[in-house]
Amino acid sequence: MNNTKRKKANLWRGLIALGIIVVLVMIIGIFLYSKENDVITGEAEATEYRVSGKLPGRIEKYYFEEGDKVKKGDTLVFINSPEIQAKLSQAQAARKAASAQKAKADAGAREELIAGALAMLKKAEVGVDITKKSFDRVQALYEKNVLPQQKRDEVEAQYKAALATAEAAKTQYEMAKNGAQYEDILAAQALVERAEGAVSEVSSYLNEINLTSPVDGEVTERYSKVGELVGSGSPIMSIVDLSDIWFTFNVREDKLKDMAIGNIIEIQVPALGEKTYKAKITFMKAMMSYATWRATKNISKFDAKTFEVKARPIEDIPNLHPGMTVLIVNK
């Protein structure tokens, strides 16, 4: 009888203990599942530059590996482009020909041509003198009615022809002495300027065979291998500017309390240890509808939009790199 009572008592004590355990588990579960996670997670980002050239060509050499630090103006890669070298030779040859043409126009006619034109002028002037004397004699005889008018007219025509020949010879001599016409000189100058422009254009492309870094930063990626062909404008390398870094968080709108542009937040970067840093909120914008949190099975809840929040570190954070996880620890 006593054994039966003891068994019943032990059974009740076990049932009570089990009930207590179940209640405790339920309370703990309710507490854990009802408490919302207040940790807001984000990611570090930085300005990235893609290095590309204007020229198509073959990558001849890289001067930096991925992960290397570079300075603004450092040569990153050499692109071999035989076509541009050929175009430069053509442009230089055209400039040389144009310069020779201009020199000829500036120098004018050769001395031999000037001397020949002068000789023709003198010969024409002698002809004018002879025909003038002949005409004067014939005119005198004509006035005395010794010679007919036809003879007088013939000699006068010869005299006028000699005058015209002398005038033409004088014009030829002046042209030879003065050199090329002003328009010819301008045309030769235009050819030289055109050739100079072609050389300058091709020379500017030569600067594109050695690509340089636009900023101080770190090489994050090389897209092509040595020996591969790259097209005009194709990205070849990426440089990240570690001095221009920020944090991006996607925050549900019911977690935006005390978050406003200009506010200071405290963040932690797990990859860098437990130390905390301060950052200033600089940007906030509602994300697209796909990022909206939809309320389900609870009429007291509402659809909550997600906001993109950006913050910049107030102080320098050593060894911080884009892609590292960032936590807001004071929210």
Side-chain angles (χ1 to χ4, degrees):
M1 188 69 178
N2 291 332
N3 291 334
T4 302
K5 290 182 178 180
R6 281 197 299 270
K7 289 179 180 181
K8 290 183 178 180
N10 291 334
L11 179 61
W12 280 108
R13 283 196 293 269
L15 292 174
I16 293 172
L18 180 61
I20 293 173
I21 293 173
V22 171
V23 171
L24 289 175
V25 170
M26 292 177 62
I27 293 174
I28 294 173
I30 293 173
F31 175 78
L32 290 177
Y33 284 100
S34 64
K35 182 176 178 60
E36 296 181 352
N37 186 9
D38 291 330
V39 177
I40 299 175
T41 305
E43 184 178 349
E45 299 182 19
T47 300
E48 185 179 52
Y49 296 85
R50 291 195 171 186
V51 179
S52 59
K54 297 178 181 178
L55 294 179
R58 192 178 300 276
I59 295 179
E60 190 78 12
K61 183 179 180 181
Y62 280 112
Y63 295 95
F64 291 93
E65 302 288 338
E66 293 178 351
D68 287 347
K69 298 292 192 300
V70 296
K71 295 290 185 181
K72 182 178 181 179
D74 285 348
T75 301
L76 301 174
V77 60
F78 171 66
I79 301 176
N80 186 18
S81 181
E83 294 82 4
I84 201 65
Q85 296 291 347
K87 289 183 179 180
L88 178 61
S89 298
Q90 294 172 2
Q92 290 174 338
R95 179 178 62 180
K96 186 176 181 180
S99 298
Q101 186 73 19
K102 182 178 182 300
K104 181 179 179 180
D106 290 340
R110 293 181 300 178
E111 293 182 1
E112 294 86 349
L113 294 177
I114 297 175
L118 180 59
M120 293 298 295
L121 174 61
K122 290 181 178 181
K123 179 181 178 181
E125 289 175 346
V126 171
V128 170
D129 184 61
I130 293 174
T131 54
K132 175 69 167 61
K133 290 178 180 179
S134 298
F135 176 71
D136 289 343
R137 287 196 298 268
V138 170
Q139 180 68 20
L141 294 174
Y142 171 73
E143 290 175 354
K144 294 178 181 180
N145 296 321
V146 176
L147 292 176
Q149 184 175 353
Q150 181 179 355
K151 184 64 176 180
R152 182 256 181 199
D153 293 341
E154 291 176 354
V155 175
E156 183 182 19
Q158 293 175 0
Y159 171 58
K160 290 181 178 180
L163 287 174
T165 301
E167 186 65 27
K170 182 179 180 181
T171 300
Q172 291 294 326
Y173 170 69
E174 291 294 337
M175 290 177 61
K177 184 176 67 173
N178 294 334
Q181 294 184 2
Y182 179 69
E183 293 81 0
D184 295 334
I185 296 175
L186 288 180
Q189 178 64 33
L191 288 176
V192 172
E193 293 176 355
R194 179 180 177 182
E196 290 285 357
V199 172
S200 298
E201 180 183 6
V202 178
S203 298
S204 68
Y205 282 115
L206 282 177
N207 297 329
E208 296 294 325
I209 64 176
N210 288 293
L211 302 183
T212 59
S213 176
V215 292
D216 295 349
E218 180 181 299
V219 179
T220 57
E221 191 171 0
R222 298 193 322 195
Y223 300 104
S224 303
K225 298 180 178 63
V226 173
E228 289 185 343
L229 289 172
V230 291
S232 176
S234 298
I236 298 173
M237 301 177 70
S238 285
I239 307 294
V240 64
D241 184 3
L242 296 178
S243 65
D244 186 21
I245 198 165
W246 66 89
F247 311 118
T248 301
F249 305 92
N250 294 333
V251 185
R252 205 170 65 195
E253 64 178 313
D254 56 345
K255 300 293 184 181
L256 288 176
K257 183 181 179 182
D258 299 328
M259 277 193 175
I261 294 178
N263 285 8
I264 305 299
I265 59 176
E266 191 171 356
I267 59 98
Q268 181 183 9
V269 184
L272 303 180
E274 297 182 358
K275 183 178 179 180
T276 60
Y277 307 90
K278 293 187 181 300
K280 183 178 181 179
I281 297 176
T282 58
F283 176 84
M284 185 180 297
K285 183 184 74 171
M287 299 182 68
M288 302 295 290
S289 58
Y290 64 81
T292 300
W293 296 76
R294 302 296 181 184
T296 58
K297 299 181 181 179
N298 194 336
I299 60 174
S300 64
K301 292 288 185 178
F302 59 92
D303 291 352
K305 287 187 176 181
T306 299
F307 279 73
E308 181 183 11
V309 178
K310 293 183 180 180
R312 290 186 176 272
I314 295 177
E315 54 192 317
D316 182 50
I317 303 179
N319 301 319
L320 178 64
H321 280 75
M324 288 185 174
T325 300
V326 182
L327 309 177
I328 299 179
V329 299
N330 62 340
K331 290 294 177 183

